[in-house]
Amino acid sequence: TLYNMEEDKTVANYNAINELKDVKAGQWYTDAVCWAYSEDVAKGNSSTKLFGIGKPITREQLATMLYNYSVKKGYDTTTRGDYSGMKDANKVSSYAVEFMQWAYGTGIIGGGTNLNPQGYATRAQMASMMKNFCQKNAL
């Protein structure tokens, strides 16, 4: 989705094909994944060397990508929110704490009493997060 939002879809390099085991040349996703990888929007899992092709995305992974995309576009990423009162606040992965604080503070992600950071983002949750992201950045 972020790749499709770009006016300039130039892929800087195709390093993801060589550096991530599950990224293959000539597939429907190749340009988008290689763009995200080369633009530091999404790097895959550094320990497994997998991007996660065909796997659902977690809420904290989506927050991370939206944050990284915001940095790339020069959007404000200074806002932070305190989600420590959420029942599952301690379930946020260490790599994602800053990104979840940003997403929570900006209203991109909510959760009632639970963040469900490692839960897979449903289509509805993904659409809601993307809508909130676009509204926040006047897109």
Side-chain angles (χ1 to χ4, degrees):
T1 300
L2 297 174
Y3 172 73
N4 288 331
M5 289 171 51
E6 286 293 287
E7 289 182 28
D8 179 6
K9 292 181 176 43
T10 303
V11 178
N13 63 62
Y14 284 82
N15 293 344
I17 293 170
N18 297 321
E19 296 174 18
L20 298 171
K21 296 183 227 176
D22 60 344
V23 178
K24 307 293 180 216
Q27 301 300 308
W28 64 271
Y29 59 78
T30 305
D31 284 347
V33 168
C34 289
W35 169 85
Y37 190 82
S38 66
E39 296 292 328
D40 292 328
V41 171
K43 288 301 215 180
N45 185 313
S46 60
S47 62
T48 64
K49 298 293 185 201
L50 295 171
F51 190 83
I53 301 297
K55 294 190 178 201
I57 188 170
T58 66
R59 291 163 53 94
E60 68 184 12
Q61 289 169 334
L62 182 54
T64 301
M65 284 189 235
L66 291 174
Y67 180 91
N68 290 340
Y69 184 75
S70 294
V71 169
K72 171 194 168 7
K73 298 299 277 185
Y75 302 152
D76 179 14
T77 57
T78 59
T79 301
R80 297 292 182 271
D82 179 10
Y83 58 74
S84 61
M86 302 293 253
K87 290 181 182 178
D88 57 354
N90 63 336
K91 302 238 191 258
V92 175
S93 298
S94 59
Y95 82 87
V97 169
E98 177 183 14
F99 312 127
M100 289 293 284
Q101 288 171 339
W102 167 79
Y104 185 75
T106 59
I108 290 170
I109 193 168
T113 59
N114 291 299
L115 284 173
N116 195 18
Q118 294 179 22
Y120 295 128
T122 65
R123 283 180 179 236
Q125 290 169 339
M126 195 151 178
S128 178
M129 288 175 71
M130 289 301 297
K131 177 186 75 78
N132 295 342
F133 175 79
C134 289
Q135 286 177 338
K136 175 195 176 310
N137 294 297
L139 303 177

